[in-house]
Amino acid sequence: MLKIKLLSITFFLISRISLFAQVEPPPVDTAKKPPAFDGVFRRGVAVDSSYKNVASGEFTPGKGFDLVRTKYGSLNFSLYAMARYLNQLPGNQTWTDHLGRQKEFVGRNDFYFHRAMLWFSGFVGTPKLTYTATVWTIMPTQQTLVYGNLQYRFNKHFKFGIGVAPNLSVRSMQGPFPFYASTDRTMGEESLRGGFTQGFFVTGEIVPKLLYTIMLGNNLSTLGIQASKETRNLSKSLTLVWMPTTGEYGPRGGISDFEYHRKAATRFGVSMVTSREDRFNNTGTPSPDNTQVRMTDGLLFFETGALADGVTVDQADYNMMSVDAGVKYRGFSAQLELYGRHLSDFAADGPVPLSSIKDYGYSLQISHMVIPKRLVLYGINSYFWDEFKRHPYEFGGGLNFYPVNSRSWRLNGQVMRVYKSSAGGTFGLYTAGQTGTTITLGTDILL
């Protein structure tokens, strides 16, 4: 009887807790800038509890579900999940790296519940102090992590945070996840970009419609790097974003014009990253712990033999700059990004034939909403003018179908032609050296 009474009381208490799903708001006329969230939680008034996705990239929650909200603090739960089928054709081939060495390529043909992110977020004591704790898993790489950051907002001009955040190297590292044209980044972005690291960042509005973010981190990527292996060299990155017409670029600054802007929304950005990178393990180990830096033939820069047979580069300077420009208008969207990366000042255990490596490229994404709130068609093209004159590129496109007229659930299909892929790994859509066709079918949700 006591157990029954306890179960009854528990069920009653649970049934009295209100869980408010914060779904996307109805469309607004973006000819006028929508009022910005001022960071104040008002009892009894519906306000947007999601965080502005400027500096946190993949680590910013969706709108989610409010589990607890009091004047002392809050707890929100948000979820992202993606599953897909990936087929890289032809399934078996050989390719040649920049030193003329032949390598085998086995294309993927698999289904995966690819990744999931569970966000627990809210404020503590004051709405100015917010926290995010994230459970992140990538099934193809068998990685699972728990991480987060803390942020304090003084005013709209100055907010600082500490924890895991992105090196601000390319457009896709500045907020649009997961509202890419595809379910992942383009080959151009994936090839040269910095990663996510532990660090300190400051962000805010300089003047209306002009935003800044400055990031100081441990390195280009924190994945697989223990504190005992860190050097005293810190990564530095900066981005400026100007949105001169509407002062906004849609939720999370996503790529396609799902919101169907009635006035042209424009976005211009410039980003810079510099870091003295280390391979982070003994030069006697052929495979480096630093897997963020790749060359445009797809080889890991710090792996033994990357620049010369039997030679290992232990340290190098990484400098990158990108500029981007985008427009959205009545369901049409165009996004262009130009990249330049310079690797130099190599510290190696033997002679190497190059003193520096300079690579330049671009990515172009164009989309059109054929059926408002339902169907988007898009095309993607990336191309490189690289040090090795291999000129990797990709072109193709796909479609996004939204079954519930919301970005919260998407079905994606894509076909891409890839030539000498400069990106690699099982995280994204590309395998180093591939020349052929990649087919993907996927679905993702964001709550």
Side-chain angles (χ1 to χ4, degrees):
M1 288 296 294
L2 179 59
K3 289 183 178 180
I4 294 175
K5 287 183 179 180
L6 289 174
L7 288 172
S8 299
I9 293 171
T10 302
F11 177 79
F12 174 77
L13 290 174
I14 293 174
S15 67
R16 301 301 295 173
I17 298 176
S18 297
L19 301 179
F20 298 104
Q22 313 216 0
V23 298
E24 290 188 353
V28 297
D29 186 349
T30 54
K32 296 181 179 179
K33 181 180 178 181
F37 174 51
D38 61 6
V40 177
F41 298 94
R42 300 182 178 91
R43 182 182 293 274
V45 178
V47 294
D48 185 356
S49 65
S50 59
Y51 302 122
K52 193 170 184 179
N53 200 9
V54 175
S56 299
E58 271 84 335
F59 310 131
T60 300
K63 295 179 183 296
F65 300 83
D66 279 341
L67 304 180
V68 177
R69 183 178 292 278
T70 73
K71 65 180 180 180
Y72 304 108
S74 67
L75 173 63
N76 179 279
F77 173 73
S78 180
L79 165 71
Y80 173 75
M82 188 266 281
R84 71 180 171 213
Y85 166 69
L86 174 64
N87 189 0
Q88 297 173 330
L89 300 169
N92 294 277
Q93 61 179 280
T94 59
W95 62 281
T96 304
D97 68 15
H98 76 279
L99 293 176
R101 300 170 297 193
Q102 281 202 340
K103 298 181 179 295
E104 298 294 323
F105 170 82
V106 178
R108 292 176 58 188
N109 181 34
D110 52 51
F111 297 89
Y112 264 99
F113 182 83
H114 184 266
R115 62 177 174 253
M117 306 180 78
L118 309 179
W119 291 291
F120 298 89
S121 60
F123 74 94
V124 178
T126 169
K128 292 180 178 292
L129 176 62
T130 60
Y131 67 90
T132 301
T134 308
V135 180
W136 175 84
T137 182
I138 299 291
M139 291 301 294
T141 60
Q142 298 293 300
Q143 291 175 304
T144 299
L145 295 171
V146 180
Y147 54 83
N149 60 52
L150 300 173
Q151 301 183 33
Y152 189 88
R153 181 182 186 272
F154 285 93
N155 51 51
K156 66 180 181 179
H157 304 292
F158 184 73
K159 178 172 69 175
F160 71 83
I162 188 169
V164 177
N167 283 288
L168 303 159
S169 47
V170 295
R171 168 82 164 84
S172 66
M173 301 289 285
Q174 299 164 29
F177 174 86
F179 297 160
Y180 303 148
S182 174
T183 53
D184 252 309
R185 295 179 173 87
T186 66
M187 186 185 76
E189 293 174 307
E190 195 64 32
S191 300
L192 304 185
R193 70 176 178 87
F196 299 88
T197 189
Q198 308 275 354
F200 173 84
F201 60 88
V202 181
T203 185
E205 181 181 83
I206 301 174
V207 295
K209 303 180 181 180
L210 179 62
L211 309 175
Y212 76 95
T213 302
I214 300 172
M215 171 73 177
L216 188 65
N218 291 345
N219 47 43
L220 282 184
S221 175
T222 195
L223 287 177
I225 309 301
Q226 300 173 359
S228 59
K229 298 180 179 180
E230 294 282 5
T231 68
R232 292 182 56 81
N233 301 311
L234 299 177
S235 65
K236 285 80 84 174
S237 62
L238 163 70
T239 187
L240 295 173
V241 175
W242 181 42
M243 295 177 285
T245 52
T246 61
E248 52 75 49
Y249 208 65
R252 304 173 82 92
I255 299 300
S256 65
D257 188 23
F258 186 87
E259 294 69 39
Y260 207 88
H261 285 76
R262 294 178 178 88
K263 179 181 178 181
T266 52
R267 182 192 190 278
F268 302 93
V270 58
S271 303
M272 293 169 283
V273 183
T274 182
S275 180
R276 179 66 175 172
E277 283 296 285
D278 194 283
R279 78 189 311 264
F280 294 121
N281 58 342
N282 190 286
T283 55
T285 305
S287 180
D289 286 346
N290 186 335
T291 59
Q292 189 62 46
V293 184
R294 285 184 182 270
M295 298 184 296
T296 52
D297 63 354
L299 295 182
L300 293 173
F301 176 76
F302 288 106
E303 70 179 85
T304 299
L307 290 183
D309 289 334
V311 177
T312 302
V313 177
D314 190 50
Q315 290 187 329
D317 286 350
Y318 168 103
N319 292 282
M320 181 175 176
M321 180 176 181
S322 67
V323 295
D324 64 85
V327 61
K328 295 181 179 182
Y329 181 64
R330 294 187 177 273
F332 172 82
S333 173
Q335 184 72 45
L336 174 65
E337 187 163 15
L338 307 176
Y339 319 102
R341 185 191 65 179
H342 187 199
L343 302 176
S344 62
D345 196 13
F346 307 150
D349 62 0
V352 293
L354 298 169
S355 59
S356 67
I357 298 175
K358 296 180 180 180
D359 300 308
Y360 305 93
Y362 74 83
S363 288
L364 175 65
Q365 302 177 73
I366 297 176
S367 67
H368 179 62
M369 179 153 290
V370 180
I371 303 175
K373 304 293 182 181
R374 281 285 186 176
L375 180 64
V376 172
L377 300 181
Y378 65 87
I380 295 175
N381 173 228
S382 298
Y383 187 89
F384 281 98
W385 296 270
D386 60 318
E387 183 74 35
F388 307 132
K389 296 180 173 55
R390 295 169 61 84
H391 303 297
Y393 67 79
E394 65 171 344
F395 67 87
L399 60 86
N400 291 314
F401 179 69
Y402 302 90
V404 295
N405 290 354
S406 167
R407 283 190 187 263
S408 295
W409 179 25
R410 170 177 62 170
L411 304 176
N412 172 263
Q414 177 174 284
V415 178
M416 298 296 295
R417 176 67 179 177
V418 181
Y419 176 74
K420 295 183 178 180
S421 174
S422 52
T426 55
F427 179 87
L429 302 173
Y430 308 93
T431 297
Q434 179 195 5
T435 293
T437 301
T438 296
I439 301 170
T440 56
L441 298 171
T443 182
D444 58 356
I445 59 172
L446 175 68
L447 299 176

